[in-house]
Amino acid sequence: MPSFTPVATFAVSAALCAAAVTAAPAPADLVLREAKVYTVDKNRSVAEALAVKDGRLVFVGSNAAAKAFIGSATRVESAGGRLVLPGLVDAHIHPVDIADLDVCTLDDRVVTLAELTQFVSQCLSHFKTPPGGRLTVYQWNYAVGNQPDPRHRTLRAALDAASTTQQIQLLGDDGHHSAFNSLALAQAKDRAGKVVGLSKATLAGEFAAYRSFVGVDENGEPNGAVNEDVRYFINKDSEYYLALEEVLKVPERITQRLSSAGITAVLDAMASPEGMPVYDKLVASGNLHARVTLAQFFNPMENLDADGKVDYDAIVARANTIRAKYAGSPLIRADVVKIFADGGIEGNPLAVPPTLPDGAVLRPFLQPIFGIDPGGRATVTGYVDTATPLCAEVREHPDKFASAQQIGDFIKVHGYHPGQCTISSGKLQNEREVILEYARRMHLAGYSLHIHTIGDRAARTAIDAIEAARAADGNTETRDALAHLQLADPADVARIGRDHLFVAFTYAWMSAEPEYDLMVIPFLQQVHGNSMAALHPPGSFYDNNAYPVRAVKAAGGILAAGSDAPVDTRDPRPFINMALAVTRRLPAQAPLGPQQAITLPEVIEAYTMGGAQMLAIDQEAGSLEVGKSADFIVLDRDILALAANGHPESVAEAHVVSTWFQGKEVYKKGR
């Protein structure tokens, strides 16, 4: 981390304001002084004061020089020595879903299946869900808790215990996982729109291609867990937009939350046409206090022509209509499109058989055998050798191992479920050819790509798609980006750098956490037990390849930052993200791949200039320089000093004192 001295500060300040300081500068509308202004310019300069005129910065420099910009009508504010940063850019968030509403929400709480039953029952009563109606439960923590008991052996059983006369759907806090009760599962429709239900029979028939996205019990019947696009066969509106009509009543809560977190620019990472009236209402009311880039999302599998093929022309036409609608907007643009390369990479150790992850990986998932330790936690007791003649027979003749009796006998003799003979490398969200063609068409139409990638095969596919799209239109200057990048092969990290791709990392996920890790690591590498030492041995595959932030930056990739709120929490929590980018550890836990940590100035840059460059607003925002929009925040503590003095974990405790957008104070703590 660089050190800052008064001499260097004033020298840089003089350079910054040389163009603005004249013999008699016009009085500014606002002068903020007695601050530590971390500009995030190319030299990471620090100043003491700034001046604003007509929403733009006209001066950044010393307290003494700022006096020239003070007139009789100038508002003069003292920062009291506090740190001032450019307004933050959240480069992957779902803003329409971050407002607090009166809905049934678990708020990411950890509950057992018995506690889940009780909570859902209370919601059914409180919200007066009618017979045959649907209750949606938001912010369900799919990754931690959910322990079964003899009465509540599966998610389906737990939800059925709450009601068999009302449809119930849990929405996972990550946007990829759901769970349904029996009545809801029975509503599943095939592609022709006929109600066929989701069952063991339809998983072998109509929904065979989606089998890996559905959790099953020991008899092969759905256990309630339904992930990714299969949710839409049960409930077409399996998005957070189920509460859209409530959001439209109080859209200002969105920008209030953004402003309180110091966020003045965002990428709506999955902008559907249904959510755009929220932005329109914010603009009309004058309550949009952030720049918004819409990453338009159109599910290819829901946009088919009469022959059942993806109608790319229709998708591009719809995207163009929306882009044109906002072409003249000073705050909203719609020149990015979103596509999923894969989904999530978490399995379920508590299911029988354990549910495999569905994210796309380069090597087949392992088949761990789980038991329960004395403390009631899942633990790895062994592995199934899927290469044995026995497993080959199970795969070749599944009908011989399908009945409850056959399954029970198999488990009794061999110690594992025959379903664990499955060999899977996960699944791309769409066929590879669809992802590549979608990217090509959108590039030719002038859009930048924003691609959700979790597994290393998904990352490789996404990079392939971007490179092919750039070859098709000859444009290498697009602001194409990968989101999340939980796993990446080193060869593909090198390609990210060579192609100068943006990566919107969610830094708050970069830690070791035992219960979550048990859902991921045993499927990727051999684990014995459930201790942190067992899950994270030195030099292990996961620790070497998970969230390769430092490697991406070193290769030439461009770091951005995306909270992915409301995933985990509706709070965008930028300073928790910053702290985890530096420490990659939770309190009392070892760090996850500490070699991939970055410095605080580097993550601040990701949250400012990196995000601004990715959203093509870097001429307006991302740094505090003369001529740019006056988007800045004042913090309650000096996070740069905290990190420099060996306390980067304390950065997580920082809060915003005030947020200014286009020279206007849009948030003040305590007001």
Side-chain angles (χ1 to χ4, degrees), residues 226-240:
V226 180
N227 305 324
E228 308 301 347
D229 285 3
V230 187
R231 297 170 296 170
Y232 307 134
F233 294 121
I234 302 170
N235 174 16
K236 186 173 176 59
D237 298 316
S238 289
E239 300 287 352
Y240 291 100

PDB file of all heavy atoms in Angstrom, residues 226-240:
ATOM      1  N   VAL A 226     -35.723 -28.131  -6.086  1.00  0.00           N
ATOM      2  CA  VAL A 226     -35.801 -27.936  -7.534  1.00  0.00           C
ATOM      3  C   VAL A 226     -35.002 -26.680  -7.869  1.00  0.00           C
ATOM      4  O   VAL A 226     -35.293 -25.601  -7.343  1.00  0.00           O
ATOM      5  CB  VAL A 226     -37.259 -27.782  -8.006  1.00  0.00           C
ATOM      6  CG1 VAL A 226     -37.309 -27.582  -9.516  1.00  0.00           C
ATOM      7  CG2 VAL A 226     -38.092 -28.999  -7.604  1.00  0.00           C
ATOM      8  N   ASN A 227     -34.028 -26.830  -8.739  1.00  0.00           N
ATOM      9  CA  ASN A 227     -33.092 -25.739  -8.989  1.00  0.00           C
ATOM     10  C   ASN A 227     -33.133 -25.258 -10.437  1.00  0.00           C
ATOM     11  O   ASN A 227     -33.633 -25.939 -11.323  1.00  0.00           O
ATOM     12  CB  ASN A 227     -31.672 -26.197  -8.639  1.00  0.00           C
ATOM     13  CG  ASN A 227     -31.579 -26.726  -7.228  1.00  0.00           C
ATOM     14  OD1 ASN A 227     -32.240 -26.213  -6.321  1.00  0.00           O
ATOM     15  ND2 ASN A 227     -30.779 -27.760  -7.037  1.00  0.00           N
ATOM     16  N   GLU A 228     -32.583 -24.059 -10.631  1.00  0.00           N
ATOM     17  CA  GLU A 228     -32.395 -23.481 -11.960  1.00  0.00           C
ATOM     18  C   GLU A 228     -33.710 -23.438 -12.747  1.00  0.00           C
ATOM     19  O   GLU A 228     -34.768 -23.217 -12.178  1.00  0.00           O
ATOM     20  CB  GLU A 228     -31.289 -24.230 -12.709  1.00  0.00           C
ATOM     21  CG  GLU A 228     -29.981 -24.354 -11.938  1.00  0.00           C
ATOM     22  CD  GLU A 228     -29.345 -23.039 -11.525  1.00  0.00           C
ATOM     23  OE1 GLU A 228     -29.750 -21.984 -12.024  1.00  0.00           O
ATOM     24  OE2 GLU A 228     -28.426 -23.070 -10.691  1.00  0.00           O
ATOM     25  N   ASP A 229     -33.628 -23.665 -14.054  1.00  0.00           N
ATOM     26  CA  ASP A 229     -34.783 -23.436 -14.920  1.00  0.00           C
ATOM     27  C   ASP A 229     -35.942 -24.395 -14.689  1.00  0.00           C
ATOM     28  O   ASP A 229     -37.060 -24.131 -15.134  1.00  0.00           O
ATOM     29  CB  ASP A 229     -34.359 -23.525 -16.391  1.00  0.00           C
ATOM     30  CG  ASP A 229     -33.590 -22.295 -16.844  1.00  0.00           C
ATOM     31  OD1 ASP A 229     -33.350 -21.405 -16.001  1.00  0.00           O
ATOM     32  OD2 ASP A 229     -33.221 -22.219 -18.031  1.00  0.00           O
ATOM     33  N   VAL A 230     -35.704 -25.512 -14.006  1.00  0.00           N
ATOM     34  CA  VAL A 230     -36.807 -26.443 -13.750  1.00  0.00           C
ATOM     35  C   VAL A 230     -37.876 -25.773 -12.892  1.00  0.00           C
ATOM     36  O   VAL A 230     -39.058 -26.133 -12.945  1.00  0.00           O
ATOM     37  CB  VAL A 230     -36.290 -27.729 -13.080  1.00  0.00           C
ATOM     38  CG1 VAL A 230     -37.402 -28.766 -12.963  1.00  0.00           C
ATOM     39  CG2 VAL A 230     -35.139 -28.315 -13.885  1.00  0.00           C
ATOM     40  N   ARG A 231     -37.495 -24.787 -12.114  1.00  0.00           N
ATOM     41  CA  ARG A 231     -38.469 -24.047 -11.301  1.00  0.00           C
ATOM     42  C   ARG A 231     -39.590 -23.475 -12.151  1.00  0.00           C
ATOM     43  O   ARG A 231     -40.736 -23.387 -11.717  1.00  0.00           O
ATOM     44  CB  ARG A 231     -37.768 -22.901 -10.559  1.00  0.00           C
ATOM     45  CG  ARG A 231     -36.716 -23.343  -9.569  1.00  0.00           C
ATOM     46  CD  ARG A 231     -35.909 -22.172  -9.063  1.00  0.00           C
ATOM     47  NE  ARG A 231     -35.142 -21.535 -10.117  1.00  0.00           N
ATOM     48  CZ  ARG A 231     -34.510 -20.381  -9.992  1.00  0.00           C
ATOM     49  NH1 ARG A 231     -34.563 -19.724  -8.854  1.00  0.00           N
ATOM     50  NH2 ARG A 231     -33.824 -19.884 -10.990  1.00  0.00           N
ATOM     51  N   TYR A 232     -39.233 -23.063 -13.372  1.00  0.00           N
ATOM     52  CA  TYR A 232     -40.217 -22.388 -14.208  1.00  0.00           C
ATOM     53  C   TYR A 232     -41.294 -23.334 -14.721  1.00  0.00           C
ATOM     54  O   TYR A 232     -42.372 -22.895 -15.116  1.00  0.00           O
ATOM     55  CB  TYR A 232     -39.515 -21.696 -15.387  1.00  0.00           C
ATOM     56  CG  TYR A 232     -38.393 -20.784 -14.955  1.00  0.00           C
ATOM     57  CD1 TYR A 232     -37.153 -20.807 -15.583  1.00  0.00           C
ATOM     58  CD2 TYR A 232     -38.567 -19.901 -13.895  1.00  0.00           C
ATOM     59  CE1 TYR A 232     -36.119 -19.978 -15.173  1.00  0.00           C
ATOM     60  CE2 TYR A 232     -37.539 -19.070 -13.475  1.00  0.00           C
ATOM     61  CZ  TYR A 232     -36.322 -19.113 -14.122  1.00  0.00           C
ATOM     62  OH  TYR A 232     -35.311 -18.289 -13.695  1.00  0.00           O
ATOM     63  N   PHE A 233     -41.019 -24.639 -14.743  1.00  0.00           N
ATOM     64  CA  PHE A 233     -42.050 -25.593 -15.132  1.00  0.00           C
ATOM     65  C   PHE A 233     -43.133 -25.687 -14.058  1.00  0.00           C
ATOM     66  O   PHE A 233     -44.281 -26.025 -14.352  1.00  0.00           O
ATOM     67  CB  PHE A 233     -41.445 -26.977 -15.373  1.00  0.00           C
ATOM     68  CG  PHE A 233     -40.517 -27.040 -16.551  1.00  0.00           C
ATOM     69  CD1 PHE A 233     -39.198 -27.420 -16.393  1.00  0.00           C
ATOM     70  CD2 PHE A 233     -40.956 -26.708 -17.829  1.00  0.00           C
ATOM     71  CE1 PHE A 233     -38.329 -27.480 -17.477  1.00  0.00           C
ATOM     72  CE2 PHE A 233     -40.103 -26.756 -18.916  1.00  0.00           C
ATOM     73  CZ  PHE A 233     -38.791 -27.146 -18.743  1.00  0.00           C
ATOM     74  N   ILE A 234     -42.768 -25.380 -12.819  1.00  0.00           N
ATOM     75  CA  ILE A 234     -43.726 -25.424 -11.717  1.00  0.00           C
ATOM     76  C   ILE A 234     -44.384 -24.064 -11.528  1.00  0.00           C
ATOM     77  O   ILE A 234     -45.596 -23.953 -11.349  1.00  0.00           O
ATOM     78  CB  ILE A 234     -43.019 -25.855 -10.414  1.00  0.00           C
ATOM     79  CG1 ILE A 234     -42.367 -27.225 -10.605  1.00  0.00           C
ATOM     80  CG2 ILE A 234     -43.999 -25.879  -9.237  1.00  0.00           C
ATOM     81  CD1 ILE A 234     -41.454 -27.625  -9.461  1.00  0.00           C
ATOM     82  N   ASN A 235     -43.585 -23.043 -11.556  1.00  0.00           N
ATOM     83  CA  ASN A 235     -44.077 -21.682 -11.376  1.00  0.00           C
ATOM     84  C   ASN A 235     -43.299 -20.784 -12.323  1.00  0.00           C
ATOM     85  O   ASN A 235     -42.121 -20.520 -12.117  1.00  0.00           O
ATOM     86  CB  ASN A 235     -43.878 -21.222  -9.928  1.00  0.00           C
ATOM     87  CG  ASN A 235     -44.232 -19.761  -9.726  1.00  0.00           C
ATOM     88  OD1 ASN A 235     -44.884 -19.142 -10.554  1.00  0.00           O
ATOM     89  ND2 ASN A 235     -43.792 -19.205  -8.607  1.00  0.00           N
ATOM     90  N   LYS A 236     -43.954 -20.344 -13.371  1.00  0.00           N
ATOM     91  CA  LYS A 236     -43.284 -19.563 -14.418  1.00  0.00           C
ATOM     92  C   LYS A 236     -42.649 -18.303 -13.858  1.00  0.00           C
ATOM     93  O   LYS A 236     -41.679 -17.793 -14.405  1.00  0.00           O
ATOM     94  CB  LYS A 236     -44.291 -19.205 -15.516  1.00  0.00           C
ATOM     95  CG  LYS A 236     -43.666 -18.527 -16.728  1.00  0.00           C
ATOM     96  CD  LYS A 236     -44.673 -18.346 -17.835  1.00  0.00           C
ATOM     97  CE  LYS A 236     -44.086 -17.577 -19.013  1.00  0.00           C
ATOM     98  NZ  LYS A 236     -42.913 -18.239 -19.584  1.00  0.00           N
ATOM     99  N   ASP A 237     -43.169 -17.804 -12.751  1.00  0.00           N
ATOM    100  CA  ASP A 237     -42.652 -16.569 -12.168  1.00  0.00           C
ATOM    101  C   ASP A 237     -41.713 -16.838 -10.999  1.00  0.00           C
ATOM    102  O   ASP A 237     -41.755 -16.163  -9.979  1.00  0.00           O
ATOM    103  CB  ASP A 237     -43.814 -15.681 -11.692  1.00  0.00           C
ATOM    104  CG  ASP A 237     -44.713 -15.272 -12.839  1.00  0.00           C
ATOM    105  OD1 ASP A 237     -44.185 -14.910 -13.889  1.00  0.00           O
ATOM    106  OD2 ASP A 237     -45.943 -15.331 -12.680  1.00  0.00           O
ATOM    107  N   SER A 238     -40.854 -17.840 -11.134  1.00  0.00           N
ATOM    108  CA  SER A 238     -39.937 -18.183 -10.041  1.00  0.00           C
ATOM    109  C   SER A 238     -38.760 -17.225  -9.992  1.00  0.00           C
ATOM    110  O   SER A 238     -37.591 -17.616 -10.047  1.00  0.00           O
ATOM    111  CB  SER A 238     -39.455 -19.625 -10.200  1.00  0.00           C
ATOM    112  OG  SER A 238     -40.474 -20.536  -9.934  1.00  0.00           O
ATOM    113  N   GLU A 239     -39.057 -15.955  -9.920  1.00  0.00           N
ATOM    114  CA  GLU A 239     -38.050 -14.911  -9.779  1.00  0.00           C
ATOM    115  C   GLU A 239     -38.408 -14.102  -8.549  1.00  0.00           C
ATOM    116  O   GLU A 239     -39.487 -14.219  -7.984  1.00  0.00           O
ATOM    117  CB  GLU A 239     -38.057 -13.983 -11.010  1.00  0.00           C
ATOM    118  CG  GLU A 239     -37.761 -14.689 -12.311  1.00  0.00           C
ATOM    119  CD  GLU A 239     -36.313 -15.089 -12.461  1.00  0.00           C
ATOM    120  OE1 GLU A 239     -35.510 -14.675 -11.604  1.00  0.00           O
ATOM    121  OE2 GLU A 239     -36.003 -15.814 -13.395  1.00  0.00           O
ATOM    122  N   TYR A 240     -37.492 -13.238  -8.138  1.00  0.00           N
ATOM    123  CA  TYR A 240     -37.812 -12.353  -7.030  1.00  0.00           C
ATOM    124  C   TYR A 240     -38.910 -11.368  -7.406  1.00  0.00           C
ATOM    125  O   TYR A 240     -39.509 -10.728  -6.563  1.00  0.00           O
ATOM    126  CB  TYR A 240     -36.548 -11.601  -6.606  1.00  0.00           C
ATOM    127  CG  TYR A 240     -35.520 -12.475  -5.964  1.00  0.00           C
ATOM    128  CD1 TYR A 240     -34.435 -12.933  -6.688  1.00  0.00           C
ATOM    129  CD2 TYR A 240     -35.646 -12.867  -4.643  1.00  0.00           C
ATOM    130  CE1 TYR A 240     -33.485 -13.755  -6.105  1.00  0.00           C
ATOM    131  CE2 TYR A 240     -34.696 -13.688  -4.060  1.00  0.00           C
ATOM    132  CZ  TYR A 240     -33.623 -14.127  -4.793  1.00  0.00           C
ATOM    133  OH  TYR A 240     -32.689 -14.944  -4.217  1.00  0.00           O
TER     134      TYR A 240
END
